[in-house]
């Protein structure tokens, strides 16, 4: 689909008021999105696991405006508390989508959101938060135009979510999602994510992701600033090419269930991402000494026990520990006894591959 296909331009009978309510998960990239051109067009394809416990729950109330004001009008709450500091990000998201959802100008919104994971855990909440909001807005569109198909509903929700935060477009559906045009995937697009269209081996459908909270603070360099540093990065073009190749390789691994190859590819992607940050101009480092201690311990444990447990990183110091369900007792014991000491307040989240967003 083209971006013009997402512009709402029908006549409609709009409801006077109402509400929608969605819960949407976070996701963890295996092949990373790092680098974009304007308005959230990724420089390469990315593939992610959808998570199941790191969720944002968003209630969206709308009331038709009584005046003709053409300003975006909303209030944002976190757990029933007014959050003025959330406003700029949501304002710019709504401004970006107004071309596609012009009906939002006719309403006043109250957005009340809450995360199931600690708010200050350093876990990116934009993927779950923006995708939940995009789904709420699509529920409003569906009320205005009940004829839209489920496929259009989810594709446009992903398209809208992408405009708020790139990785958010991969959070709507379960298990494995792919975003970014790629010649091996006919239905792939830079504009929205698709559910991974080929076979996924059962072993990956119940994979675990223990998120070790090494640093709960706010990142010193935002993802958006990091993406921008990929323009004119000395390794940029090579990186984008490798990511396309890794997408093909991961596609084969996801089908054949080769966990050893999975370990190699996923760790390489994580380290490449942070290598790119370290070699940006200006250079910056987001991992912490404890991130490296965890990485070394995971590699030692894997080698000694012959268990295909691996790590991945997002744009921060926290470590995602990925492993098949059949090793979960052993790996959680390892985390409890050896890794959790490296986490801030010994904290980590036991997550696993999930089923996507849910309407409440
Ligand atoms: C390292 O989606 O947070 O987690 O599009 O600027 O909002 P914006 O960036 P964001 O970047 C995510 C980067 C990443 C890799 C990934 O999730 O693919």
């Amino acid at each position: 689909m083209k971006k013009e296909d997402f512009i709402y331009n029908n006549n409609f009978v709009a409801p006077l008021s109402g509400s929608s309510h969605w819960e949407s998960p976070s996701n963890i990239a295996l092949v990373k999105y790092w680098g974009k051109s304007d308005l959230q067009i990724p420089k390469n394809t990315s593939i992610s696991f959808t998570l199941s416990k790191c969720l944002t729950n968003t209630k969206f109330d709308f009331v038709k405006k009584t005046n003709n004001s053409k300003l975006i009008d909303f209030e944002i709450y976190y757990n029933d508390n007014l959050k003025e500091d959330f406003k700029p990000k949501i304002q710019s998201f709504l401004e970006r989508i107004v071309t596609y959802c012009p009906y939002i100008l006719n309403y006043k919104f109250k957005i009340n959101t809450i995360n199931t994971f600690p708010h200050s855990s350093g876990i990116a909440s934009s993927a779950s938060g923006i995708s939940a909001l995009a789904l709420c807005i699509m529920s409003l569109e569906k009320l205005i135009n009940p004829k839209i198909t489920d496929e259009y509903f989810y594709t446009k929700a992903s398209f809208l979510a992408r405009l708020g935060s790139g990785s958010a477009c991969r959070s709507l559906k379960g298990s494995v999602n792919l975003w970014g045009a790629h010649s091996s995937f006919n239905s792939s697009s830079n504009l929205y994510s698709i559910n991974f269209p080929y076979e996924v081996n059962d072993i990956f459908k119940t994979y675990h992701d223990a998120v070790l909270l090494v640093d709960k603070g706010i990142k010193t360099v935002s993802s958006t600033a990091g993406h921008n540093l990929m323009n004119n990065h000395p390794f940029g073009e090579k990186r984008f090419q490798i990511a396309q190749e890794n997408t093909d390789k991961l596609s084969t691994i996801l089908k054949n269930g080769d966990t050893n190859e999975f370990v190699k590819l996923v760790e390489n992607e994580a380290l490449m991402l942070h290598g790119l940050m370290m070699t940006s101009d200006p250079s910056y480092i987001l991992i912490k000494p404890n991130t490296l201690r965890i990485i070394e311990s995971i590699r030692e444990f894997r080698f000694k026990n012959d268990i295909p447990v691996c790590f991945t990183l997002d744009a921060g110091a926290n470590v995602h520990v990925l492993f098949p369900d059949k090793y979960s007792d052993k790996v959680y014991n390892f985390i409890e006894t050896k890794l959790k000491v490296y986490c801030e307040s010994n904290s980590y989240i036991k997550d696993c591959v999930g089923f996507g967003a849910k309407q409440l």
Side-chain angles (χ1 to χ4, degrees):
M1 290 176 86
K2 310 177 298 301
K3 65 179 190 213
E4 291 71 26
D5 297 328
F6 298 112
I7 298 175
Y8 189 90
N9 56 12
N10 291 330
N11 289 330
F12 49 76
V13 182
L16 291 178
S17 66
S19 68
S20 57
H21 197 172
W22 280 86
E23 185 173 76
S24 191
S26 189
N27 68 78
I28 180 68
L30 306 168
V31 175
K32 308 288 180 183
Y33 148 57
W34 200 241
K36 60 180 165 183
S37 18
D38 251 4
L39 278 186
Q40 314 287 93
I41 298 299
K43 294 277 195 183
N44 61 262
T45 309
S46 56
I47 299 184
S48 57
F49 277 157
T50 305
L51 297 181
S52 92
K53 307 262 163 49
C54 293
L55 303 160
T56 299
N57 183 319
T58 298
K59 179 144 191 295
F60 182 75
D61 298 319
F62 44 89
V63 181
K64 201 131 192 271
K65 286 179 187 166
T66 46
N67 55 30
N68 283 330
S69 140
K70 287 289 167 207
L71 293 177
I72 292 171
D73 191 351
F74 71 100
E75 283 177 338
I76 171 110
Y77 293 77
Y78 184 83
N79 198 13
D80 294 322
N81 297 310
L82 195 60
K83 280 299 240 183
E84 287 298 332
D85 51 326
F86 283 12
K87 248 192 143 165
K89 181 148 185 140
I90 304 300
Q91 174 79 28
S92 75
F93 170 59
L94 295 173
E95 279 168 12
R96 280 182 187 178
I97 68 166
V98 77
T99 313
Y100 305 99
C101 308
Y103 49 82
I104 63 174
L105 294 176
N106 300 338
Y107 288 93
K108 195 174 155 57
F109 302 108
K110 179 181 173 194
I111 304 163
N112 193 5
T113 179
I114 185 168
N115 295 336
T116 57
F117 48 99
H119 180 46
S120 60
S121 61
I123 298 277
S125 55
S126 60
S128 52
I130 295 286
S131 56
L133 184 53
L135 286 159
C136 287
I137 292 169
M138 283 310 293
S139 286
L140 168 58
E141 179 162 326
K142 178 121 188 149
L143 281 176
I144 297 170
N145 178 13
K147 283 197 217 121
I148 58 177
T149 61
D150 259 18
E151 192 191 345
Y152 183 82
F153 181 98
Y154 278 101
T155 308
K156 182 163 174 182
S158 177
F159 173 87
L160 298 177
R162 182 199 105 242
L163 290 170
S165 179
S167 54
C169 78
R170 297 186 311 236
S171 269
L172 314 185
K173 294 282 179 109
S175 298
V176 185
N177 289 294
L178 179 145
W179 169 42
H182 193 295
S183 54
S184 307
F185 301 84
N186 281 338
S187 50
S188 62
S189 169
N190 283 336
L191 302 179
Y192 48 84
S193 147
I194 54 169
N195 213 214
F196 189 73
Y198 301 137
E199 185 186 336
V200 174
N201 192 287
D202 281 347
I203 195 162
F204 295 117
K205 294 184 185 154
T206 53
Y207 238 61
H208 288 258
D209 178 4
V211 192
L212 306 190
L213 305 175
V214 173
D215 184 2
K216 299 187 192 176
I218 290 172
K219 287 182 281 193
T220 46
V221 180
S222 72
S223 287
T224 301
H227 284 291
N228 289 338
L229 292 174
M230 286 305 289
N231 297 323
N232 305 318
H233 192 290
F235 306 138
E237 286 312 314
K238 190 68 192 166
R239 158 62 195 162
F240 306 139
Q241 181 199 330
I242 292 174
Q244 296 310 88
E245 291 162 9
N246 279 348
T247 297
D248 273 326
K249 286 186 189 158
L250 184 60
S251 174
T252 307
I253 294 168
L254 288 173
K255 183 171 175 194
N256 67 20
D258 186 337
T259 49
N260 292 327
E261 286 300 310
F262 181 83
V263 164
K264 262 204 272 180
L265 186 143
V266 168
E267 291 194 349
N268 180 269
E269 275 287 320
L271 295 174
M272 200 181 308
L273 169 71
H274 284 262
L276 290 163
M277 296 172 189
M278 292 177 201
T279 49
S280 293
D281 181 10
S283 150
Y284 64 108
I285 301 177
L286 295 182
I287 53 174
K288 301 282 182 204
N290 279 348
T291 312
L292 278 179
R293 289 187 183 101
I294 291 171
I295 288 176
E296 283 176 346
S297 305
I298 290 174
R299 289 187 159 178
E300 197 184 305
F301 175 84
R302 179 165 74 230
F303 184 70
K304 277 199 189 136
N305 298 282
D306 199 21
I307 290 179
V309 50
C310 68
F311 65 84
T312 189
L313 306 163
D314 54 19
N318 298 327
V319 183
H320 289 248
V321 188
L322 301 174
F323 48 96
D325 183 51
K326 64 179 165 190
Y327 300 112
S328 67
D329 288 348
K330 283 190 178 133
V331 177
Y332 273 119
N333 182 46
F334 163 58
I335 291 172
E336 272 293 311
T337 54
K338 294 281 184 328
L339 299 186
K340 96 174 179 188
V341 291
Y342 300 128
C343 299
E344 208 177 312
S345 330
N346 287 330
S347 50
Y348 64 94
I349 299 169
K350 291 180 168 186
D351 212 333
C352 55
V353 170
F355 303 101
K358 246 185 9 207
Q359 186 160 20
L360 301 173

PDB file of all heavy atoms in Angstrom, residues 125-147:
ATOM      1  N   SER A 125       9.391   2.647  26.392  1.00  0.00           N
ATOM      2  CA  SER A 125       7.941   2.485  26.447  1.00  0.00           C
ATOM      3  C   SER A 125       7.297   3.050  25.192  1.00  0.00           C
ATOM      4  O   SER A 125       6.095   2.967  25.027  1.00  0.00           O
ATOM      5  CB  SER A 125       7.377   3.175  27.681  1.00  0.00           C
ATOM      6  OG  SER A 125       7.793   4.509  27.682  1.00  0.00           O
ATOM      7  N   SER A 126       8.122   3.623  24.281  1.00  0.00           N
ATOM      8  CA  SER A 126       7.484   4.255  23.129  1.00  0.00           C
ATOM      9  C   SER A 126       6.872   3.214  22.191  1.00  0.00           C
ATOM     10  O   SER A 126       5.823   3.452  21.610  1.00  0.00           O
ATOM     11  CB  SER A 126       8.445   5.182  22.391  1.00  0.00           C
ATOM     12  OG  SER A 126       9.542   4.467  21.946  1.00  0.00           O
ATOM     13  N   ALA A 127       7.486   2.024  22.073  1.00  0.00           N
ATOM     14  CA  ALA A 127       6.930   1.022  21.151  1.00  0.00           C
ATOM     15  C   ALA A 127       5.536   0.600  21.610  1.00  0.00           C
ATOM     16  O   ALA A 127       4.582   0.589  20.830  1.00  0.00           O
ATOM     17  CB  ALA A 127       7.855  -0.184  21.047  1.00  0.00           C
ATOM     18  N   SER A 128       5.408   0.279  22.902  1.00  0.00           N
ATOM     19  CA  SER A 128       4.095  -0.163  23.399  1.00  0.00           C
ATOM     20  C   SER A 128       3.140   1.023  23.494  1.00  0.00           C
ATOM     21  O   SER A 128       1.959   0.917  23.139  1.00  0.00           O
ATOM     22  CB  SER A 128       4.238  -0.868  24.738  1.00  0.00           C
ATOM     23  OG  SER A 128       4.971  -0.076  25.649  1.00  0.00           O
ATOM     24  N   GLY A 129       3.637   2.177  23.954  1.00  0.00           N
ATOM     25  CA  GLY A 129       2.774   3.337  24.166  1.00  0.00           C
ATOM     26  C   GLY A 129       2.219   3.893  22.867  1.00  0.00           C
ATOM     27  O   GLY A 129       1.009   4.131  22.734  1.00  0.00           O
ATOM     28  N   ILE A 130       3.084   4.081  21.887  1.00  0.00           N
ATOM     29  CA  ILE A 130       2.622   4.661  20.615  1.00  0.00           C
ATOM     30  C   ILE A 130       1.746   3.670  19.858  1.00  0.00           C
ATOM     31  O   ILE A 130       0.748   4.047  19.242  1.00  0.00           O
ATOM     32  CB  ILE A 130       3.828   5.113  19.749  1.00  0.00           C
ATOM     33  CG1 ILE A 130       4.590   6.248  20.437  1.00  0.00           C
ATOM     34  CG2 ILE A 130       3.397   5.496  18.342  1.00  0.00           C
ATOM     35  CD1 ILE A 130       3.925   7.606  20.415  1.00  0.00           C
ATOM     36  N   SER A 131       2.085   2.378  19.922  1.00  0.00           N
ATOM     37  CA  SER A 131       1.244   1.418  19.189  1.00  0.00           C
ATOM     38  C   SER A 131      -0.139   1.330  19.831  1.00  0.00           C
ATOM     39  O   SER A 131      -1.148   1.239  19.117  1.00  0.00           O
ATOM     40  CB  SER A 131       1.909   0.044  19.086  1.00  0.00           C
ATOM     41  OG  SER A 131       2.235  -0.454  20.360  1.00  0.00           O
ATOM     42  N   ALA A 132      -0.211   1.397  21.163  1.00  0.00           N
ATOM     43  CA  ALA A 132      -1.527   1.365  21.830  1.00  0.00           C
ATOM     44  C   ALA A 132      -2.359   2.575  21.406  1.00  0.00           C
ATOM     45  O   ALA A 132      -3.558   2.454  21.102  1.00  0.00           O
ATOM     46  CB  ALA A 132      -1.353   1.336  23.346  1.00  0.00           C
ATOM     47  N   LEU A 133      -1.717   3.730  21.350  1.00  0.00           N
ATOM     48  CA  LEU A 133      -2.443   4.948  20.970  1.00  0.00           C
ATOM     49  C   LEU A 133      -2.903   4.885  19.507  1.00  0.00           C
ATOM     50  O   LEU A 133      -4.033   5.265  19.173  1.00  0.00           O
ATOM     51  CB  LEU A 133      -1.550   6.170  21.227  1.00  0.00           C
ATOM     52  CG  LEU A 133      -2.158   7.536  20.982  1.00  0.00           C
ATOM     53  CD1 LEU A 133      -3.484   7.723  21.722  1.00  0.00           C
ATOM     54  CD2 LEU A 133      -1.179   8.647  21.395  1.00  0.00           C
ATOM     55  N   ALA A 134      -2.031   4.371  18.638  1.00  0.00           N
ATOM     56  CA  ALA A 134      -2.403   4.252  17.215  1.00  0.00           C
ATOM     57  C   ALA A 134      -3.625   3.340  17.073  1.00  0.00           C
ATOM     58  O   ALA A 134      -4.541   3.624  16.277  1.00  0.00           O
ATOM     59  CB  ALA A 134      -1.225   3.694  16.411  1.00  0.00           C
ATOM     60  N   LEU A 135      -3.670   2.275  17.842  1.00  0.00           N
ATOM     61  CA  LEU A 135      -4.815   1.356  17.776  1.00  0.00           C
ATOM     62  C   LEU A 135      -6.085   2.034  18.297  1.00  0.00           C
ATOM     63  O   LEU A 135      -7.173   1.856  17.737  1.00  0.00           O
ATOM     64  CB  LEU A 135      -4.513   0.093  18.586  1.00  0.00           C
ATOM     65  CG  LEU A 135      -3.518  -0.851  17.885  1.00  0.00           C
ATOM     66  CD1 LEU A 135      -2.860  -1.795  18.883  1.00  0.00           C
ATOM     67  CD2 LEU A 135      -4.209  -1.654  16.785  1.00  0.00           C
ATOM     68  N   CYS A 136      -5.946   2.825  19.361  1.00  0.00           N
ATOM     69  CA  CYS A 136      -7.115   3.554  19.889  1.00  0.00           C
ATOM     70  C   CYS A 136      -7.674   4.495  18.817  1.00  0.00           C
ATOM     71  O   CYS A 136      -8.895   4.603  18.642  1.00  0.00           O
ATOM     72  CB  CYS A 136      -6.720   4.374  21.120  1.00  0.00           C
ATOM     73  SG  CYS A 136      -6.422   3.372  22.585  1.00  0.00           S
ATOM     74  N   ILE A 137      -6.776   5.175  18.117  1.00  0.00           N
ATOM     75  CA  ILE A 137      -7.220   6.111  17.072  1.00  0.00           C
ATOM     76  C   ILE A 137      -7.893   5.345  15.932  1.00  0.00           C
ATOM     77  O   ILE A 137      -8.922   5.773  15.397  1.00  0.00           O
ATOM     78  CB  ILE A 137      -6.025   6.971  16.587  1.00  0.00           C
ATOM     79  CG1 ILE A 137      -5.603   7.897  17.736  1.00  0.00           C
ATOM     80  CG2 ILE A 137      -6.385   7.772  15.330  1.00  0.00           C
ATOM     81  CD1 ILE A 137      -4.298   8.613  17.527  1.00  0.00           C
ATOM     82  N   MET A 138      -7.351   4.175  15.594  1.00  0.00           N
ATOM     83  CA  MET A 138      -7.995   3.372  14.543  1.00  0.00           C
ATOM     84  C   MET A 138      -9.362   2.862  14.989  1.00  0.00           C
ATOM     85  O   MET A 138     -10.258   2.688  14.158  1.00  0.00           O
ATOM     86  CB  MET A 138      -7.084   2.211  14.121  1.00  0.00           C
ATOM     87  CG  MET A 138      -5.948   2.633  13.216  1.00  0.00           C
ATOM     88  SD  MET A 138      -6.480   3.630  11.798  1.00  0.00           S
ATOM     89  CE  MET A 138      -7.438   2.449  10.853  1.00  0.00           C
ATOM     90  N   SER A 139      -9.554   2.641  16.279  1.00  0.00           N
ATOM     91  CA  SER A 139     -10.893   2.242  16.752  1.00  0.00           C
ATOM     92  C   SER A 139     -11.882   3.380  16.536  1.00  0.00           C
ATOM     93  O   SER A 139     -13.041   3.152  16.199  1.00  0.00           O
ATOM     94  CB  SER A 139     -10.856   1.858  18.227  1.00  0.00           C
ATOM     95  OG  SER A 139     -10.239   0.612  18.383  1.00  0.00           O
ATOM     96  N   LEU A 140     -11.403   4.614  16.727  1.00  0.00           N
ATOM     97  CA  LEU A 140     -12.263   5.769  16.439  1.00  0.00           C
ATOM     98  C   LEU A 140     -12.583   5.796  14.934  1.00  0.00           C
ATOM     99  O   LEU A 140     -13.729   5.980  14.533  1.00  0.00           O
ATOM    100  CB  LEU A 140     -11.569   7.069  16.888  1.00  0.00           C
ATOM    101  CG  LEU A 140     -12.183   8.388  16.424  1.00  0.00           C
ATOM    102  CD1 LEU A 140     -13.638   8.529  16.883  1.00  0.00           C
ATOM    103  CD2 LEU A 140     -11.372   9.589  16.934  1.00  0.00           C
ATOM    104  N   GLU A 141     -11.547   5.575  14.108  1.00  0.00           N
ATOM    105  CA  GLU A 141     -11.788   5.577  12.651  1.00  0.00           C
ATOM    106  C   GLU A 141     -12.802   4.499  12.264  1.00  0.00           C
ATOM    107  O   GLU A 141     -13.654   4.706  11.399  1.00  0.00           O
ATOM    108  CB  GLU A 141     -10.471   5.385  11.875  1.00  0.00           C
ATOM    109  CG  GLU A 141     -10.686   5.356  10.371  1.00  0.00           C
ATOM    110  CD  GLU A 141      -9.424   5.596   9.547  1.00  0.00           C
ATOM    111  OE1 GLU A 141      -8.554   6.366   9.989  1.00  0.00           O
ATOM    112  OE2 GLU A 141      -9.316   5.020   8.452  1.00  0.00           O
ATOM    113  N   LYS A 142     -12.711   3.369  12.931  1.00  0.00           N
ATOM    114  CA  LYS A 142     -13.639   2.262  12.615  1.00  0.00           C
ATOM    115  C   LYS A 142     -15.085   2.632  13.002  1.00  0.00           C
ATOM    116  O   LYS A 142     -16.034   2.212  12.328  1.00  0.00           O
ATOM    117  CB  LYS A 142     -13.180   1.002  13.342  1.00  0.00           C
ATOM    118  CG  LYS A 142     -14.054  -0.183  13.146  1.00  0.00           C
ATOM    119  CD  LYS A 142     -13.325  -1.367  12.541  1.00  0.00           C
ATOM    120  CE  LYS A 142     -14.346  -2.445  12.196  1.00  0.00           C
ATOM    121  NZ  LYS A 142     -14.030  -3.258  11.096  1.00  0.00           N
ATOM    122  N   LEU A 143     -15.226   3.425  14.050  1.00  0.00           N
ATOM    123  CA  LEU A 143     -16.575   3.878  14.412  1.00  0.00           C
ATOM    124  C   LEU A 143     -17.123   4.819  13.336  1.00  0.00           C
ATOM    125  O   LEU A 143     -18.307   4.798  12.999  1.00  0.00           O
ATOM    126  CB  LEU A 143     -16.535   4.636  15.738  1.00  0.00           C
ATOM    127  CG  LEU A 143     -16.478   3.804  17.012  1.00  0.00           C
ATOM    128  CD1 LEU A 143     -16.345   4.719  18.223  1.00  0.00           C
ATOM    129  CD2 LEU A 143     -17.762   2.973  17.126  1.00  0.00           C
ATOM    130  N   ILE A 144     -16.203   5.657  12.823  1.00  0.00           N
ATOM    131  CA  ILE A 144     -16.620   6.618  11.802  1.00  0.00           C
ATOM    132  C   ILE A 144     -16.900   5.912  10.480  1.00  0.00           C
ATOM    133  O   ILE A 144     -17.823   6.264   9.755  1.00  0.00           O
ATOM    134  CB  ILE A 144     -15.514   7.701  11.623  1.00  0.00           C
ATOM    135  CG1 ILE A 144     -15.339   8.480  12.934  1.00  0.00           C
ATOM    136  CG2 ILE A 144     -15.844   8.638  10.475  1.00  0.00           C
ATOM    137  CD1 ILE A 144     -14.128   9.381  12.942  1.00  0.00           C
ATOM    138  N   ASN A 145     -16.076   4.901  10.204  1.00  0.00           N
ATOM    139  CA  ASN A 145     -16.216   4.174   8.938  1.00  0.00           C
ATOM    140  C   ASN A 145     -16.164   2.663   9.201  1.00  0.00           C
ATOM    141  O   ASN A 145     -15.109   2.037   9.068  1.00  0.00           O
ATOM    142  CB  ASN A 145     -15.083   4.597   7.991  1.00  0.00           C
ATOM    143  CG  ASN A 145     -15.162   3.845   6.683  1.00  0.00           C
ATOM    144  OD1 ASN A 145     -16.165   3.199   6.384  1.00  0.00           O
ATOM    145  ND2 ASN A 145     -14.097   3.914   5.902  1.00  0.00           N
ATOM    146  N   PRO A 146     -17.302   2.069   9.587  1.00  0.00           N
ATOM    147  CA  PRO A 146     -17.312   0.651   9.988  1.00  0.00           C
ATOM    148  C   PRO A 146     -16.923  -0.307   8.862  1.00  0.00           C
ATOM    149  O   PRO A 146     -16.697  -1.481   9.116  1.00  0.00           O
ATOM    150  CB  PRO A 146     -18.767   0.402  10.411  1.00  0.00           C
ATOM    151  CG  PRO A 146     -19.392   1.744  10.536  1.00  0.00           C
ATOM    152  CD  PRO A 146     -18.630   2.686   9.666  1.00  0.00           C
ATOM    153  N   LYS A 147     -16.801   0.236   7.636  1.00  0.00           N
ATOM    154  CA  LYS A 147     -16.535  -0.678   6.506  1.00  0.00           C
ATOM    155  C   LYS A 147     -15.071  -1.110   6.414  1.00  0.00           C
ATOM    156  O   LYS A 147     -14.764  -2.009   5.643  1.00  0.00           O
ATOM    157  CB  LYS A 147     -16.912   0.014   5.199  1.00  0.00           C
ATOM    158  CG  LYS A 147     -18.413   0.031   4.982  1.00  0.00           C
ATOM    159  CD  LYS A 147     -18.722   0.340   3.528  1.00  0.00           C
ATOM    160  CE  LYS A 147     -19.954   1.195   3.424  1.00  0.00           C
ATOM    161  NZ  LYS A 147     -19.737   2.471   2.768  1.00  0.00           N
TER     162      LYS A 147
END
